[in-house]
Amino acid sequence: MEEITFTEIISYAKIAEDNAKKFYLDAAANASQSNVKELLEALAAQEEKHKEYLDELDAKIKAKGTVPEIHEKVRNLGYSKMIEPSSLDADASYKDVIEVAMVKEKEAIETYEHLLHYVDDPDAKKLFGLLLEEERRHLQQFEKEFEDLQDQWN
């Protein structure tokens, strides 16, 4: 099996962000409740911003003219983890969206922890670290909202 390159790592991260954005936009298109639709669209916008950061890093690396080396052999980026079925139907509640968002954020955290481990390039490390912290903040926000919703139900 061939080693994975830095370029493939960036590509993987972009695909992960695109998949998350598409998931949220598709769910928003089907949402029947306005607050659920707004939340899903906001989540999609966050994923788009992450992709823009990755595009900027990609452009910066290309402008340098040298592709950073990976300091450890990477043979699997974990695509299989990204294809677990999750769905939100038209009747999904705000709580349903929060539950799915928590799962998605945990997946993103694992992804950026994984990618951060394999790169030495300072710009890549900085960006993956920034994205990792954003995903952790998102998860914390969703956990708080979930707790608040649980309190309302009890």
Side-chain angles (χ1 to χ4, degrees), residues 59-96:
K60 193 176 207 178
I61 295 296
K62 286 177 181 167
K64 285 182 187 177
T66 57
V67 177
E69 295 291 319
I70 304 300
H71 68 82
E72 186 175 319
K73 287 185 180 181
V74 184
R75 300 201 185 274
N76 177 345
L77 285 174
Y79 281 109
S80 60
K81 289 182 181 178
M82 292 182 358
I83 54 175
E84 286 184 34
S86 332
S87 63
L88 292 170
D89 60 23
D91 296 324
S93 68
Y94 193 85
K95 183 176 176 250
D96 294 334

Side-chain angles (χ1 to χ4, degrees), residues 29-47:
N30 293 322
S32 60
Q33 299 176 31
S34 62
N35 66 332
V36 170
K37 185 180 199 75
E38 288 172 16
L39 174 61
L40 289 163
E41 289 170 346
L43 292 170
Q46 289 174 358
E47 302 304 342

